[in-house]
Amino acid sequence: PLQIGIPVNTGFKAEGDWMVELPPQEAGTICDIEIVGGEEELSLSQVIFGDVWVCSGQSNMVFTMNGIFNSSEEIAAAAAYPDIRFTIINRVTSDVEEDDVGTKIPWSDPANGNRNLNSFSSVCFFYAMNVYDQLGVPMGLIDSAWGGTRVEAWSSQDALDACEIEDNVMPNNPQNSNSYLWNSMIHPLRKMTVKGFLWYQGEANANWNMDKYSCTFPTLISSWRDQFSMMSNTSPDAPFGFVMLSTIKYGTAGTTYPRLRLHQTADYGFVPNPDMPYTFMATAVDTYDEENGIHPRYKKIVGERLAYAGLGVAYDLDSFPINGPIAS
């Protein structure tokens, strides 16, 4: 068992704030952690060391394991991955930056038929499964996503100002107010050291500041990296993976979604690029699902593609290409 006595750093402004920095451990190390202060004691059991990923965006990131094709078989197979831990952040809003947020489900693993996996993000989990198959590194997954939400809600005020986004507060739809989800569902996580971020969002911006997405999305990425690296040991170049939007309906002649897909890459058409370094992308344009429309149930292949690109960018494995063919 790992037994280390580490003093607590209490040099923070807010009462009750403290921090402990544990020495690096080999991936897969499992231990119990006890925090003792005065007459109070907090115990965390079966903590495993590995890589933490924040999974965010709107409904296609929320899309759960029990909603995909072959869900029963996939959920049963996931029980073989007890080293993948996951939690879901409460879906709450705030008009000010918060330092704490609760969880909808506690940290869980998929072993022994854990029903919490049924309601967890399928893209996020399949990404972790595929990375784990290659590396054997335990994964901690934080699902902080909300259906129907815009990129502006997940962006800090500074990020919005950089793209000259007008103020927007929606009392009857607060989750789409500028910065309200950044304040409540991302800002509280900044003190956690994470490996990287996964993102599936954009549909809600098809008719809202769509032509500014080539600024708002890359700026969100750099802003999240800056904020997390300032408050934790997260790398300033933390890898950021995202999903190119899928097809809603074949045969339509509109250009909104093709333009938005281009804006997802800062108008380069590929990633990584000079404006979006250390990013990787999964293409989902062929995952059309006529019956489910905007929410294709083919999430397993999306998570697999995202993992293969992530293995190249986030884990520097040369055998995994970071993008497909590029037109010239």
Side-chain angles (χ1 to χ4, degrees), residues 274-285:
D275 289 344
M276 300 175 66
Y278 307 107
T279 59
F280 56 96
M281 177 178 69
T283 300
V285 70

Side-chain angles (χ1 to χ4, degrees), residues 267-322:
D267 295 336
Y268 282 84
F270 60 88
V271 294
N273 61 55
D275 289 344
M276 300 175 66
Y278 307 107
T279 59
F280 56 96
M281 177 178 69
T283 300
V285 70
D286 60 336
T287 61
Y288 176 59
D289 181 359
E290 182 176 6
E291 185 178 338
N292 250 39
I294 200 170
H295 300 122
R297 289 166 287 179
Y298 296 102
K299 293 295 189 283
K300 182 176 183 179
I301 187 65
V302 174
E304 180 179 295
R305 291 172 179 175
L306 199 57
Y308 287 173
L311 285 163
V313 172
Y315 293 99
D316 298 317
L317 296 185
D318 293 337
S319 57
F320 289 88
I322 61 176

Side-chain angles (χ1 to χ4, degrees), residues 93-313:
T93 66
S94 177
D95 61 352
V96 296
E97 292 181 336
E98 303 289 351
D99 288 325
D100 199 9
V101 65
T103 56
K104 182 180 178 182
I105 66 167
W107 281 102
S108 308
D109 70 61
N112 302 318
N114 191 316
R115 297 194 177 208
N116 287 337
L117 182 61
N118 294 3
S119 57
F120 189 74
S121 166
S122 50
V123 168
C124 187
F125 194 83
F126 282 126
Y127 171 85
M129 282 180 59
N130 281 277
V131 172
Y132 185 87
D133 282 344
Q134 297 297 324
L135 303 178
V137 174
M139 296 280 155
L141 308 176
I142 301 173
D143 178 341
S144 184
W146 194 326
T149 54
R150 301 168 181 153
V151 69
E152 292 84 0
W154 297 99
S155 303
S156 68
Q157 185 61 54
D158 287 345
L160 296 175
D161 289 344
C163 296
E164 299 182 347
I165 300 298
E166 295 181 1
D167 292 342
N168 178 57
V169 175
M170 306 181 70
N172 296 324
N173 193 19
Q175 67 270 29
N176 268 325
S177 298
N178 286 2
S179 301
Y180 272 38
L181 300 183
W182 157 260
N183 291 340
S184 58
M185 296 178 64
I186 300 298
H187 188 272
L189 308 178
R190 298 175 310 146
K191 295 177 184 177
M192 298 182 62
T193 296
V194 303
K195 174 67 175 179
F197 308 91
L198 302 178
W199 178 260
Y200 196 160
Q201 189 276 339
E203 299 91 342
N205 283 96
N207 296 299
W208 186 271
N209 289 333
M210 191 266 284
D211 284 323
K212 289 194 172 185
Y213 202 87
S214 56
C215 178
T216 51
F217 181 41
T219 304
L220 175 145
I221 293 173
S222 59
S223 171
W224 284 21
R225 287 170 171 164
D226 289 346
Q227 289 289 321
F228 275 75
S229 62
M230 178 175 63
M231 299 300 296
S232 70
N233 286 329
T234 300
S235 170
D237 298 318
F240 197 110
F242 65 96
V243 181
M244 180 177 278
L245 298 184
S246 65
T247 298
I248 297 177
K249 185 177 181 181
Y250 278 127
T252 56
T255 63
T256 298
Y257 264 54
R259 287 160 56 205
L260 185 51
R261 292 187 189 105
L262 186 62
H263 293 336
Q264 286 184 287
T265 66
D267 295 336
Y268 282 84
F270 60 88
V271 294
N273 61 55
D275 289 344
M276 300 175 66
Y278 307 107
T279 59
F280 56 96
M281 177 178 69
T283 300
V285 70
D286 60 336
T287 61
Y288 176 59
D289 181 359
E290 182 176 6
E291 185 178 338
N292 250 39
I294 200 170
H295 300 122
R297 289 166 287 179
Y298 296 102
K299 293 295 189 283
K300 182 176 183 179
I301 187 65
V302 174
E304 180 179 295
R305 291 172 179 175
L306 199 57
Y308 287 173
L311 285 163
V313 172

